[in-house]
Amino acid sequence: MQRMLTRRTLLSMTAASLAGRALGTRNLSGQVLGDSGQASSRFSVMIWTLNKLGTFDENLERVAQAGYQHVELVGEFKKWSEEDYRRILARMQALKITVDATSGVNPGFADPSGEDAFLSALKGIIPAAQRLQCQQIILLSGRRMEGAAPGIQRAAAIESLKRAADVISSAGLVAVIEPIDRLESRTIYLDGVAEAFEIARAVGSPNIRVLYDIYHEQREFGNLIEKFEGNIGQIGLIHIADVPGRHEPGTGEIDYLNIYRKLAELKYKGKIAMEFYPTGDIVGTLRHAREQAQGLLS
């Protein structure tokens, strides 16, 4: 019953704001696209979740139409030609959308023998991030080493990230380390935010922070809200999706009403990215998610 009430509350909070939609962005043909009014620069969309629903350019327009000012990438630019770069950057400028984060550093940071390869890949992605005016790079730990001595991968992670902090700081960027649940990646080393916070603290740099992906954390560990407390200053980015199915908030078991309330109480000011598969109208679902979060956090 409590979960039903929570969903009803979330939906009722967005009904009034959706009714007051204003006119905003234009599409490629010059047609005026609907917008929901005052957007917030805090919210983003991880655009890979829309890949099966349209082209990159079409999905940029959907994101703008839903009132977002940012997208996140997973290294799509690695396949872009120079003409792709020019076209996409021009379209993003017209839509007033920027890239707030990207992954794409393939070697993990927790491989004791792979530190140099990790740092080389990190340095290699920085020019593209700067060209995209992207401020955050998402880093993954890489594979868990079966039979490795206890603590060896954590020590390797801390050492690699200390060196990465110097590289990232010199470039004027921030890196966020992302745990992935082992239901999704059975071989991943870093699978929970508790250890990610410990690693970030051991690194001791404001340029190395944690990506708290609520979907991944719920699937393996749960106890979501308590881990915000005492760690909010270590969080550089939050990803949003419900469990099961990786769909929008309100479709599953996570109580986003209380999560957003806690984030407001703790005065979290960082970015929040929607990383879910919309179950209904794409623009409407993305707009719902933003307005729910925006209303509860303000």
Side-chain angles (χ1 to χ4, degrees), residues 22-130:
L23 294 177
T25 312
R26 295 177 180 271
N27 68 12
L28 291 169
S29 302
Q31 179 184 2
V32 176
L33 302 173
D35 194 3
S36 58
Q38 187 65 37
S40 169
S41 63
R42 298 182 62 184
F43 299 99
S44 181
V45 175
M46 181 55 96
I47 203 165
W48 75 263
T49 58
L50 307 180
N51 282 351
K52 294 182 179 180
L53 304 174
T55 66
F56 189 88
D57 297 70
E58 289 168 342
N59 289 329
L60 280 178
E61 293 206 8
R62 288 166 169 150
V63 169
Q65 193 176 354
Y68 291 82
Q69 298 178 16
H70 310 287
V71 293
E72 294 185 357
L73 306 179
V74 289
E76 291 90 339
F77 49 84
K78 292 181 178 181
K79 297 181 179 180
W80 292 352
S81 66
E82 186 60 31
E83 176 55 34
D84 290 332
Y85 260 110
R86 286 195 292 267
R87 186 192 77 256
I88 291 169
L89 288 175
R91 191 60 197 146
M92 289 176 66
Q93 183 176 15
L95 293 169
K96 295 182 171 58
I97 288 179
T98 63
V99 177
D100 73 278
T102 186
S103 60
V105 179
N106 292 331
F109 56 76
D111 181 352
S113 64
E115 184 176 331
D116 289 341
F118 162 70
L119 290 169
S120 177
L122 175 61
K123 291 174 183 177
I125 205 173
I126 285 175
Q130 291 174 326

Side-chain angles (χ1 to χ4, degrees), residues 16 24 28 30 75 77-78 102 111 166 179 185 187 193 226 260 282 296:
L28 291 169
F77 49 84
K78 292 181 178 181
T102 186
D111 181 352
D166 293 334
S185 178
T187 61
V193 297
E226 186 174 68
Y260 290 141
I282 301 166
L296 289 163

Side-chain angles (χ1 to χ4, degrees), residues 82-188:
E82 186 60 31
E83 176 55 34
D84 290 332
Y85 260 110
R86 286 195 292 267
R87 186 192 77 256
I88 291 169
L89 288 175
R91 191 60 197 146
M92 289 176 66
Q93 183 176 15
L95 293 169
K96 295 182 171 58
I97 288 179
T98 63
V99 177
D100 73 278
T102 186
S103 60
V105 179
N106 292 331
F109 56 76
D111 181 352
S113 64
E115 184 176 331
D116 289 341
F118 162 70
L119 290 169
S120 177
L122 175 61
K123 291 174 183 177
I125 205 173
I126 285 175
Q130 291 174 326
R131 184 174 185 181
L132 293 165
Q133 298 183 320
C134 171
Q135 295 299 304
Q136 294 192 105
I137 296 178
I138 299 168
L139 301 176
L140 300 178
S141 66
R143 296 171 63 89
R144 182 176 73 257
M145 297 171 57
E146 297 294 343
I152 190 170
Q153 285 198 262
R154 181 187 290 213
I158 292 167
E159 181 59 30
S160 291
L161 290 170
K162 282 182 177 180
R163 291 179 63 187
D166 293 334
V167 173
I168 288 287
S169 177
S170 297
L173 304 175
V174 171
V176 288
I177 58 176
E178 181 178 16
I180 305 292
D181 71 86
R182 287 184 183 157
L183 293 173
E184 178 163 314
S185 178
R186 295 177 62 186
T187 61
I188 197 77

